[in-house]
Amino acid sequence: TLVTLFMLLSFAYYIKNVEKNDASSYIAMLACFTLALLSRENALILPLLLLLYHIAFKIEIKRIAFIPIAAMALIYITFRVFIFKFKLPHVVCPATLAERIPGFFIAMANYTRLLFLPLGLHMEYGTKIFPWSHPLVPIGALICVGIIALTFYYRKRDGLVFFSLCWFILALIPSSNIYPINAYMAEHWLYIPSIGFFIIIARILRMLYVKKSFKIVSIASTAVLIIFLTVLTIQNNRYWQNGITLYERTLKYAPDRAVLYNNLGILYADRGDTQEAIELFKKAVQLDPSYVYAYNNLGKAYNMIGNKKEAMDYYKKALELYPDSVESLYNIGNIYLDFDQPEKAIEQYKQAIKISPYYTKAYYNMGNAYRRIGKPEEAVPQYLNALKYNPDYFEVYNNLALTYHEMGRSEEALRILREAVTLKPDFALAYSNLAVVYHNTGQDELAVENFLKAKSLGFRNALLEKELEQYLPKE
């Protein structure tokens, strides 16, 4: 929706600039195209659509307007591919182009049906490979041939119809699976191409409206369309009210998609229904035995119910499938910590950091593991690395300060804790530990102040309260 909005705005300002040649529309055109490119890659088709505008309506190209748009698209591609080394998104697809073509024809048949009758809307169509014998393949092929034939027919007869048909074709090319992408079709990929279809529908309704004998038909048809589409919109909004309703509905249309079971399982786990989540994750790995994320999530779910041995088995299975899975390494390390084997945990965290040097959770837990085996001097650099890559990781401030305090570096501990409560004024545990350090260094007035602050935020250290009892105000 964002790329559609900014592309259309850029297109509109381009036309305005061609017609009136004013500076404001020129600046707005370039700004909107920039925002379109930053929204989604398929904004790259805008220069082609602008060329289509000139060809269809026989309007001379104004170079001062067109060249900057084309140049921006070229610069964007250059930066993405050669400088940032980030190519256009795609998926690993073992199928050849010839094997993907039937899927495109099936998509065309489905898209055509959706344009006229948008029922059964859902997401997650997947990267399916279809045989040429599929019944929708000839239908889709005939639709493609028909659109191309109509395009040639209206080339010199009707500029608007020619423009609309070509718009549909050009806007559909980025999602045609010529270049492998993550599904053979998706309903939102029809947003921009459908504009060409809607222009033709609007043209037909207008033609009916200007004829007296069909004026009522035009008004009635428009009213029926508005009511029908409004009802459908309200109905579909109900499916999108939360993740569970969305995925459960989508599974009715795509029961073979492992990712849906995995995502639904995450939502059930988040709301505490762990057993249901486990069944969903198991269904996901049954459908896709190489689904690393689902194995990891199974491990997390079993860990949540205290079955750490089962959790470890699933984490190791995930790691076996994908040895560079930092999440699997991290989770295995956590299980080793739970098994009171901090040395083994440290090895897992080191491997995770070797793969992903910015994995702050691994630094944090490695610090905790070193602290557990009595090596605070090894723990400190890990905590500092965690804060280096994530200054808002507040738990780290707390443990780093306690480590400094245990090493006899109380001033540094106080500095870290004061920094923590400055960044997060409602950090109750940090106030409590400030009170502990102040008390242990003989600064009981400040200890009481911070103890009361922690207490007001809902954290109460009973042992410290007993030691400060003589200094605390009577309740």
Side-chain angles (χ1 to χ4, degrees):
T1 49
L2 271 181
V3 72
T4 306
L5 170 67
F6 292 127
M7 276 181 63
L8 291 179
L9 283 172
S10 185
F11 198 109
Y13 282 119
Y14 177 87
I15 294 171
K16 186 176 179 183
N17 185 261
V18 167
E19 292 175 349
K20 295 186 178 180
N21 192 27
D22 63 312
S24 60
S25 62
Y26 190 80
I27 294 168
M29 169 193 78
L30 296 178
C32 289
F33 186 48
T34 302
L35 293 171
L37 285 172
L38 294 173
S39 299
R40 198 175 176 88
E41 296 86 356
N42 55 349
L44 289 168
I45 65 169
L46 183 61
L48 295 177
L49 297 175
L50 296 178
L51 279 177
L52 171 64
Y53 162 75
H54 289 286
I55 294 168
F57 300 109
K58 297 178 176 62
I59 296 171
E60 185 180 353
I61 295 176
K62 185 187 289 186
R63 293 181 182 180
I64 195 171
F66 180 77
I67 290 176
I69 292 287
M72 285 173 65
L74 186 61
I75 290 167
Y76 176 87
I77 293 171
T78 304
F79 268 78
R80 281 286 294 267
V81 177
F82 298 107
I83 297 177
F84 296 125
K85 308 293 185 184
F86 180 36
K87 296 180 181 179
L88 294 176
H90 71 285
V91 293
V92 176
C93 184
T96 64
L97 175 59
E99 290 171 327
R100 296 196 301 272
I101 289 174
F104 172 70
F105 288 143
I106 290 169
M108 280 299 298
N110 287 329
Y111 285 147
T112 305
R113 193 267 303 170
L114 288 170
L115 287 171
F116 287 97
L117 198 64
L119 300 174
L121 300 175
H122 65 281
M123 55 178 283
E124 197 58 39
Y125 283 84
T127 52
K128 296 179 181 178
I129 302 300
F130 296 93
W132 284 91
S133 58
H134 193 286
L136 285 180
V137 170
I139 296 173
L142 282 172
I143 291 169
C144 289
V145 171
I147 292 173
I148 293 168
L150 284 171
T151 302
F152 279 102
Y153 178 80
Y154 282 105
R155 167 69 182 88
K156 295 182 179 179
R157 289 176 174 83
D158 191 317
L160 185 65
V161 174
F162 172 75
F163 173 82
S164 302
L165 291 168
C166 286
W167 177 293
F168 183 83
I169 295 167
L170 288 173
L172 206 56
I173 287 174
S175 57
S176 63
N177 231 339
I178 294 171
Y179 183 82
I181 47 180
N182 63 353
Y184 76 96
M185 68 169 285
E187 288 159 10
H188 63 276
W189 292 344
L190 196 56
Y191 290 170
I192 297 175
S194 67
I195 291 169
F197 171 79
F198 294 132
I199 290 173
I200 293 174
I201 295 297
R203 172 73 171 276
I204 293 169
L205 290 172
R206 183 181 178 278
M207 287 170 62
L208 292 172
Y209 182 79
V210 296
K211 294 181 179 180
K212 287 186 178 181
S213 55
F214 289 99
K215 190 170 185 175
I216 295 175
V217 173
S218 174
I219 295 170
S221 299
T222 305
V224 168
L225 273 174
I226 291 170
I227 293 168
F228 174 63
L229 296 175
T230 300
V231 170
L232 279 183
T233 301
I234 294 168
Q235 186 182 49
N236 276 280
N237 282 346
R238 294 196 185 105
Y239 302 132
W240 286 80
Q241 62 184 297
N242 60 62
I244 290 177
T245 58
L246 174 63
Y247 290 126
E248 286 181 343
R249 168 180 163 77
T250 308
L251 277 170
K252 293 177 182 178
Y253 294 94
D256 59 340
R257 296 294 292 155
V259 66
L260 297 175
Y261 290 98
N262 178 69
N263 292 359
L264 187 57
I266 292 170
L267 294 171
Y268 273 111
D270 287 345
R271 75 176 192 181
D273 197 344
T274 314
Q275 201 56 51
E276 181 65 24
I278 287 171
E279 295 305 313
L280 289 163
F281 294 140
K282 284 183 174 179
K283 181 66 176 177
V285 297
Q286 180 186 337
L287 288 168
D288 183 0
S290 64
Y291 198 0
V292 175
Y293 291 119
Y295 285 111
N296 259 322
N297 288 331
L298 265 169
K300 289 178 185 176
Y302 276 112
N303 195 31
M304 286 169 67
I305 61 175
N307 191 338
K308 298 191 181 296
K309 184 181 180 304
E310 197 82 15
M312 178 70 92
D313 289 342
Y314 281 113
Y315 290 147
K316 286 184 175 179
K317 178 65 177 177
L319 194 61
E320 178 187 324
L321 290 167
Y322 184 48
D324 285 345
S325 172
V326 291
E327 187 178 8
S328 302
L329 290 164
Y330 171 75
N331 289 331
I332 290 170
N334 291 346
I335 295 289
Y336 278 131
L337 266 187
D338 292 336
F339 286 161
D340 200 24
Q341 300 178 50
E343 291 88 354
K344 288 186 176 181
I346 288 168
E347 288 306 311
Q348 300 299 312
Y349 297 139
K350 282 182 177 178
Q351 288 185 53
I353 289 166
K354 187 176 180 181
I355 297 166
S356 178
Y358 308 106
Y359 199 43
T360 54
K361 292 190 294 184
Y363 285 115
Y364 173 59
N365 275 5
M366 183 153 52
N368 293 339
Y370 274 123
R371 201 170 152 218
R372 188 178 294 189
I373 60 176
K375 292 186 176 180
E377 68 285 350
E378 297 285 347
V380 167
Q382 309 310 323
Y383 291 139
L384 290 174
N385 277 328
L387 288 178
K388 176 183 175 182
Y389 298 122
N390 184 3
D392 294 332
Y393 201 160
F394 296 108
E395 293 86 345
V396 181
Y397 288 95
N398 186 68
N399 287 16
L400 174 60
L402 291 178
T403 306
Y404 276 140
H405 187 51
E406 290 163 4
M407 296 169 70
R409 296 160 63 177
S410 298
E411 283 304 314
E412 288 176 270
L414 290 170
R415 176 180 60 79
I416 291 294
L417 288 168
R418 284 194 292 261
E419 188 177 342
V421 297
T422 300
L423 290 169
K424 186 176 171 63
D426 61 345
F427 195 0
L429 181 59
Y431 283 111
S432 179
N433 285 328
L434 266 171
V436 170
V437 179
Y438 278 129
H439 175 60
N440 290 342
T441 54
Q443 303 176 70
D444 288 323
E445 187 176 336
L446 289 171
V448 168
E449 179 185 329
N450 283 278
F451 171 82
L452 292 173
K453 180 65 176 177
K455 186 178 176 182
S456 71
L457 291 168
F459 189 91
R460 196 163 185 167
N461 184 331
L463 180 62
L464 180 62
E465 185 173 13
K466 188 174 182 181
E467 292 183 11
L468 294 175
E469 189 175 5
Q470 60 181 312
Y471 304 107
L472 293 173
K474 302 299 179 184
E475 295 184 0

